[in-house]
Amino acid sequence: MVSREIVRGIYWTGAIDFDRRLFDELIPLPNGTSYNSYLISGSEKTALIDTVDPTKEYELLSNIVKLNVDRIDYVVINHAEQDHSGSLPMILEFFPDAVVVTNEKCKDLLIALHHLPANQFRIIKDKETLSLGDRTLEFFMTPWTHWPETQITYLREDKILFTCDLFGSHMASSELYVTNEAEIYRSAKRYYAEIMMPFRNSIKGYVEMVKALPLVMIAPSHGPIYKRPQLILDAYTDWVSDTVKNEVVIAYVSMHGSTQKMVEHLIDALIARGITVKPFNLTRTDTGELALSLVDTATVIIATPTVLFGPHPQVVYATYLANMLKPKFRFASVIGSYGWGGKAVETIQKMLDHVKVEVIEPVMVKGLPDETTFQALNRLADEILKKHKEINIV
Ligand code: FEO
């Protein structure tokens, strides 16, 4: 991949990973991803903003070398995770006089992760600036825009904000800028669900802070650059808000068809009541799609058969994940079938300790569901509609 000039003297020098299909050995990447790195030439100093995943370090170096850059004065590291800092040791090997510019927490992590010398760092604080001559970098501390050490960097004169993980998307594209807004909106929403949603309350404040900055571009370190920052700022404003939609996500597994019959009945009952339903069969679900659906749903139903004495392990995994991601859904319930008993409902309810939800009466049946079960599911659908009306989303 070749470097590209964004505006005079500012270059994209990152790497595009078209082939990557899994991030953190956890997050599916149907569209690959990119690791954006940016080189900024000032009249006196040159700075590199973030590096790339270590698997792509030679692409980064090649992009820099091809620009005939013989000196890097500063390497700004906005976030210590290895997909952005993993090529730092190699960059420092080639540019041994470069100073790593970051905050104290990030420095500690970078030393732990890469065994770098402590004297090669310059520590910056919130709102501190760094002059490159005719250009000025300003740093804003934004802890928990993934990790506790995260920060963002603003290039004042050019009004470009380098946000690292924040506002990113896992999208490998040869396009440097967002061209298809609908496609990037969806990709960024999925990324938000997987990476940012647990930190929704912190991010609310950062979005407002960013909105107050004069902005020409937002340049994240994953996915294309926003030449219309309002696109991603409006999207985040919506996602981090407390507003939920008239939707029900049903995450389910069925082993012998009983839970499946209950899920099918509930889907019809909810549709009949004007509620959008998003069912996910967990044995074949892309967990990224499930996470995406959790961004603004009002209600989650977990449907499970009983394996030995508890819920199906796929249900346990999905519940654990949903609890970790801390979506803003307001109501939850459990439905399913059992053979000789078990503690499926109790186990699932205990696992949802990170989300503040009101639990609606579960519907569990011994063996095959019958007319009594379907009536109970109708009552569950009625109750969900009532709850949605109470919070004015119907
Ligand atoms: Fe893209 Fe948290 O790293």
Side-chain angles (χ1 to χ4, degrees), residues 141-370:
M141 299 304 116
T142 51
W144 300 112
T145 47
H146 198 196
W147 284 8
E149 87 303 357
T150 41
Q151 60 175 54
I152 57 178
T153 300
Y154 182 56
L155 184 55
R156 269 187 187 168
E157 293 75 9
D158 300 272
K159 303 179 177 59
I160 301 175
L161 187 64
F162 300 95
T163 55
C164 200
D165 273 355
L166 184 62
F167 305 135
S169 59
H170 282 311
M171 173 62 74
S173 167
S174 61
E175 305 287 340
L176 185 56
Y177 304 105
V178 174
T179 49
N180 183 336
E181 288 199 343
E183 180 186 56
I184 293 302
Y185 175 92
R186 196 172 195 286
S187 182
K189 187 173 184 180
R190 179 178 165 125
Y191 174 98
Y192 164 83
E194 294 161 334
I195 315 278
M196 297 293 160
M197 191 156 63
F199 315 112
R200 185 172 70 92
N201 287 327
S202 307
I203 294 172
K204 274 181 190 175
Y206 304 143
V207 171
E208 293 310 308
M209 179 189 82
V210 170
K211 279 180 181 172
L213 292 172
L215 283 178
V216 170
M217 287 183 219
I218 287 182
S221 292
H222 294 292
I225 297 169
Y226 301 90
K227 271 188 167 175
R228 196 174 76 79
Q230 207 59 40
L231 169 71
I232 196 66
L233 292 175
D234 286 347
Y236 264 68
T237 303
D238 179 29
W239 301 336
V240 301
S241 76
D242 295 332
T243 310
V244 288
K245 294 198 171 123
N246 183 27
E247 290 179 5
V248 174
V249 167
I250 305 180
Y252 73 95
V253 173
S254 184
M255 295 193 301
H256 299 292
S258 293
T259 303
Q260 178 84 33
K261 282 190 173 66
M262 295 174 74
V263 167
E264 286 168 4
H265 186 91
L266 185 61
I267 290 171
D268 286 348
L270 291 166
I271 291 172
R273 286 159 180 77
I275 298 170
T276 301
V277 192
K278 295 184 176 172
F280 292 89
N281 180 336
L282 297 173
T283 61
R284 59 194 73 144
T285 286
D286 171 344
T287 50
E289 288 298 304
L290 175 62
L292 191 154
S293 76
L294 294 174
V295 170
D296 34 32
T297 189
T299 298
V300 173
I301 301 293
I302 295 166
T304 183
T306 304
V307 176
L308 297 176
F309 304 103
H312 191 284
Q314 293 278 15
V315 168
V316 172
Y317 176 73
T319 307
Y320 179 81
L321 210 56
N323 186 55
M324 231 173 31
L325 294 176
K326 294 170 74 175
K328 57 187 176 185
F329 65 95
R330 307 277 289 275
F331 313 106
S333 191
V334 183
I335 65 171
S337 169
Y338 60 90
W340 62 87
K343 295 191 178 300
V345 172
E346 294 92 317
T347 306
I348 290 167
Q349 283 185 3
K350 270 189 211 150
M351 288 181 70
L352 290 172
D353 59 340
H354 284 178
V355 286
K356 287 184 193 144
V357 290
E358 183 180 338
V359 177
I360 303 173
E361 182 72 25
V363 180
M364 297 300 289
V365 63
K366 185 176 172 72
L368 265 178
D370 57 10

Side-chain angles (χ1 to χ4, degrees), residues 40-58:
I40 303 172
S41 292
S43 57
E44 292 170 20
K45 305 281 186 188
T46 298
L48 186 70
I49 310 273
D50 292 329
T51 72
V52 302
D53 192 85
T55 56
K56 298 283 184 185
E57 62 184 8
Y58 288 104

